[in-house]
Amino acid sequence: MASHIEIIDLVIRPSLQKACSTIPNVNAKGDISAIIFYGQEGAILDSLNLVNFIFLLESQLSEVLKVNVKFETEDILNTELKPFLNVANLTLFLEKKMKEAK
Amino acid sequence: MIGKGTSLLGVIAQHMSDIFLITDSAEFSYADLFARVNSLAIRLKNKPVKNIIVLESENNFDCYVKVLALIESRHPFLVLPLYLFNNLKYREFLNSELKSSLIFCSLNSDITRIADENQQNRLHNLIQIAVNSDKTPFLVRTSGSSGNPHKFILHDAELFLKKYQKVGPHFQSTFAFSPAESIAGIETLLECVMHGKKLIAAQGTYSPDKISKLLGLHHVDYFQTTPSFLNLMLFAGELKSDKLPYLKKIAYGSEPSYSSTTNALKKALPFVDLIHTYGMSEIGILKTITDQARADSFKFDNFYNEGRIIDGYLEVKSATPMLGYLNYINEEASDWFRTGDLSEIDSNTQLVKVLGREGDLINVAGQKFFPIELETLVLEMAEIIDVLVAKEKHSLVGEAIVMKLNLDKNTTIEQFQKKFKVFCENKLPRFMHPHRLIFVDQPLSNDRFKKVRVE
């Protein structure tokens, strides 16, 4: 199982870089820990381009960590965990999904 | 003699000294055609009509002879592409769907000999009724591009011959672009024969440069194709006046047209008339009028056929309507055929713009649009050779937009993605931004050069 640092460096960071260079209207600069992904004021994603970002994460997980994960709406909109709020939440969420997939 | 009025052999006999067909390897005159069709039709007329003859499709002399002889002798037939003709599972499917005894006849075999060997004797009710009432039955299948199993459609060839008598000659030479098994392929053959015109045919895969060379070499003045293939030709730089000096008309149909394509066509070939046709396997190819300034739309030519839009759907009254389906119950049967194409009509000009099939409609978070709308917009990018937009179910937004792209070889995917991001931000409505891009090297259309949007 990948560590939190591996999840960030191998999955989230490359997906974010790719998102910034390919997904329309997505721009993020600076420290990844300060980024709000989705669901709060100042977020870099809205509900439409969140879908693109999810596809990027799914594909990165599959290509780099060889884990096939499909995100469900209830995962994404989970109001308790708020997986797309910031990098810490997203890391925990990806870890949980990878465990489920094993 | 076929039907009550038109003798196919009589028509062929009027053009004996003219060239009928030029293929990669040979040339055939109408005299050659007459001799072969006459000989086969005489032998076929001595055989009872008790089976469907299934032919292997090829745009060549042998296949055309068999089709015309079967029409002349009023034997029901179906032409199949080679990959289906040779597929045993598909033959089983045909047996169960057509409810008739079938005689499979490859290009080099003698239909009459195979018919003698066949002891079965069964015809679908609808075909039997057609035979009993002096019709000239033949079958075509739907292309299957909607993802549904093939439907088999029964037609009366006599209606097509009458239509082409009425239409009159309007070209000297055309290219057999559509395969012989399709309604467009059969109509191209019949139109040529009815007016003693020249048909050019080629084997193998069609590429823009190959077709362009053939059109120029054989002085083709009427080119019938699809918007997808025209797009490929435009991108390859093959549609130019100096390459195609004899070309007078281009007809395209079978899928919605892009305004970007028709505008580029007008620019590349300003003296060529564009004809936006409309057709389906069920109704044949309808006569239309195209406004050269708005060649992505058309008007029905009411002298031959009519059209109307009811609840957003295009309905047509064709001069060549099918006699019926063999394996499907059409509950809406009437003089007006409901095409299933959602369309718009301009109330001032009466121009019809086909948008697409209802199933093609994409719904992203409640915002709906047709693939062609997005495809037309992105084709503005010079790096894109061809594009196909489809959808996939997505729990968050309802449907996600998947875009397949065939890029110019000089463009890297990385370069393109950066440029495409800026293009989306500046040129596309927010809800049309694709969610997934798939890059491909192959053509995005099927073997009939028609886009297939099935997931």
Side-chain angles (χ1 to χ4, degrees):
Chain A
M1 177 62 68
S3 68
H4 285 189
I5 290 177
E6 283 173 325
I7 293 175
I8 294 170
D9 286 345
L10 298 177
V11 182
I12 302 175
R13 206 185 295 278
S15 298
L16 179 64
Q17 277 168 358
K18 198 159 188 198
C20 290
S21 62
T22 64
I23 303 177
N25 305 108
V26 175
N27 297 293
K29 281 178 190 154
D31 185 2
I32 194 169
S33 62
I35 290 172
I36 298 166
F37 287 92
Y38 174 75
Q40 225 176 56
E41 208 180 316
I44 62 164
L45 301 166
D46 62 21
S47 57
L48 289 177
N49 53 26
L50 175 62
V51 176
N52 301 55
F53 187 59
I54 288 168
F55 283 147
L56 287 179
L57 287 172
E58 286 174 349
S59 133
Q60 192 71 13
L61 278 168
S62 163
E63 281 169 25
V64 179
L65 299 182
K66 312 290 175 206
V67 185
N68 290 319
V69 168
K70 192 92 188 151
F71 300 163
E72 302 300 333
T73 311
E74 49 270 32
D75 294 327
I76 299 159
L77 302 179
N78 186 326
T79 49
E80 280 179 29
L81 181 60
K82 293 191 177 164
F84 288 91
L85 186 64
N86 54 38
V87 71
N89 287 14
L90 187 54
T91 307
L92 291 174
F93 170 68
L94 293 181
E95 185 184 38
K96 177 174 162 272
K97 291 301 287 184
M98 286 162 69
K99 272 184 192 158
E100 285 170 7
K102 288 274 171 183
Chain B
M1 178 70 82
I2 57 163
K4 293 177 186 69
T6 319
S7 161
L8 197 48
L9 277 169
V11 170
I12 295 172
Q14 291 170 22
H15 306 284
M16 297 294 240
S17 57
D18 296 327
I19 294 170
F20 159 59
L21 177 69
I22 299 176
T23 66
D24 297 328
S25 54
E27 189 174 298
F28 303 90
S29 67
Y30 274 91
D32 298 326
L33 184 67
F34 183 88
R36 288 279 306 275
V37 172
N38 189 38
S39 153
L40 182 54
I42 287 170
R43 285 181 289 139
L44 280 168
K45 279 174 186 169
N46 292 327
K47 311 280 174 201
V49 179
K50 58 178 187 177
N51 324 84
I52 297 172
I53 311 284
V54 183
L55 297 175
E56 180 186 341
S57 171
E58 191 77 73
N59 285 351
N60 69 11
F61 189 60
D62 280 341
C63 183
Y64 292 151
V65 164
K66 286 188 171 93
V67 165
L68 295 171
L70 287 162
I71 289 175
E72 179 69 10
S73 60
R74 289 209 211 113
H75 273 71
F77 67 92
L78 167 70
V79 189
L80 280 186
L82 189 62
Y83 73 95
L84 291 179
F85 185 88
N86 288 331
N87 184 314
L88 294 180
K89 280 250 177 265
Y90 196 78
R91 288 189 179 198
E92 282 171 25
F93 169 71
L94 274 184
N95 267 312
S96 71
E97 296 295 298
L98 299 185
K99 296 182 174 58
S100 306
S101 42
L102 308 175
I103 294 178
F104 289 87
C105 181
S106 60
L107 279 176
N108 300 320
S109 41
D110 178 355
I111 300 176
T112 52
R113 193 180 55 76
I114 301 174
D116 286 339
E117 289 166 4
N118 191 295
Q119 298 302 314
Q120 292 179 319
N121 181 358
R122 188 163 79 113
L123 274 182
H124 190 291
N125 260 354
L126 202 57
I127 303 178
Q128 193 62 62
I129 292 167
V131 170
N132 294 346
S133 54
D134 259 7
K135 305 235 182 302
T136 309
F138 74 94
L139 293 165
V140 285
R141 66 189 170 94
T142 51
S143 65
S145 56
S146 59
N148 296 319
H150 293 153
K151 289 177 196 160
F152 295 94
I153 296 156
L154 185 64
H155 274 292
D156 178 7
E158 177 72 14
L159 296 179
F160 291 89
L161 300 178
K162 280 184 180 157
K163 176 172 81 174
Y164 286 116
Q165 271 182 329
K166 196 171 167 183
V167 169
H170 62 100
F171 63 89
Q172 294 304 318
S173 168
T174 193
F175 180 74
F177 185 85
S178 300
E181 75 264 15
S182 66
I183 192 73
I186 290 174
E187 288 213 33
T188 301
L189 171 66
L190 293 180
E191 184 169 20
C192 271
V193 169
M194 285 304 286
H195 300 305
K197 300 304 177 192
K198 192 164 56 179
L199 190 55
I200 313 301
Q203 309 305 309
T205 314
Y206 294 169
S207 62
D209 61 322
K210 178 176 170 178
I211 299 305
S212 168
K213 272 183 201 137
L214 286 170
L215 299 183
L217 179 67
H218 297 297
H219 299 198
V220 169
D221 58 345
Y222 181 44
F223 180 39
Q224 306 168 75
T225 182
T226 65
S228 289
F229 195 73
L230 285 173
N231 214 36
L232 292 177
M233 288 192 84
L234 276 167
F235 199 87
E238 295 294 344
L239 290 177
K240 288 182 177 162
S241 298
D242 57 340
K243 288 192 175 191
L244 304 167
Y246 305 98
L247 196 60
K248 291 182 180 156
K249 295 179 196 177
I250 296 178
Y252 45 90
S254 88
E255 59 179 355
S257 314
Y258 305 119
S259 57
S260 51
T261 304
T262 53
N263 291 341
L265 269 175
K266 262 296 167 209
K267 217 170 160 185
L269 298 167
F271 304 112
V272 171
D273 272 348
L274 304 183
I275 305 170
H276 188 315
T277 58
Y278 184 82
M280 288 178 74
S281 303
E282 287 89 340
I283 50 175
I285 314 300
L286 305 194
K287 286 293 287 177
T288 55
I289 299 166
T290 306
D291 178 343
Q292 296 302 297
R294 287 187 57 190
D296 62 335
S297 313
F298 63 89
K299 239 190 291 198
F300 284 107
D301 187 337
N302 290 339
F303 183 64
Y304 300 96
N305 37 240
E306 296 171 68
R308 68 182 183 188
I309 291 176
I310 302 287
D311 301 330
Y313 286 94
L314 181 61
E315 295 188 356
V316 297
K317 203 186 267 185
S318 167
T320 50
M322 64 174 172
L323 299 174
Y325 293 108
L326 261 59
N327 61 338
Y328 175 75
I329 296 167
N330 185 15
E331 287 168 353
E332 293 172 16
S334 80
D335 285 353
W336 288 93
F337 179 75
R338 199 173 169 101
T339 62
D341 275 331
L342 282 159
S343 310
E344 288 172 350
I345 191 161
D346 184 315
S347 53
N348 294 323
T349 60
Q350 295 302 302
L351 284 171
V352 174
K353 170 79 184 154
V354 176
L355 300 169
R357 314 293 292 175
E358 189 181 20
D360 293 341
L361 197 67
I362 299 176
N363 184 343
V364 178
Q367 300 266 21
K368 294 175 186 168
F369 63 96
F370 280 98
I372 187 172
E373 296 174 67
L374 178 52
E375 288 164 355
T376 302
L377 290 169
V378 301
L379 274 171
E380 275 181 30
M381 290 186 75
E383 296 82 357
I384 300 176
I385 298 176
D386 204 5
V387 57
L388 183 143
V389 170
K391 59 187 175 184
E392 67 179 46
K393 285 199 171 54
H394 196 278
S395 51
L396 196 63
V397 286
E399 286 168 347
I401 305 165
V402 181
M403 181 178 279
K404 286 190 183 173
L405 291 150
N406 186 359
L407 298 183
D408 175 14
K409 286 191 172 52
N410 298 321
T411 308
T412 67
I413 291 175
E414 205 168 72
Q415 284 170 341
F416 175 79
Q417 282 185 313
K418 282 183 185 158
K419 202 169 170 191
F420 188 63
K421 174 180 162 143
V422 178
F423 178 86
C424 290
E425 288 166 351
N426 295 323
K427 299 277 179 84
L428 296 184
R430 188 69 192 79
F431 62 91
M432 280 193 186
H433 291 181
H435 298 106
R436 195 200 289 274
L437 301 181
I438 299 171
F439 297 93
V440 296
D441 290 330
Q442 305 99 343
L444 293 166
S445 29
N446 63 9
D447 56 352
R448 294 187 185 186
F449 287 99
K450 200 172 158 180
K451 295 256 165 85
V452 180
R453 301 183 198 283
V454 183
E455 280 174 45

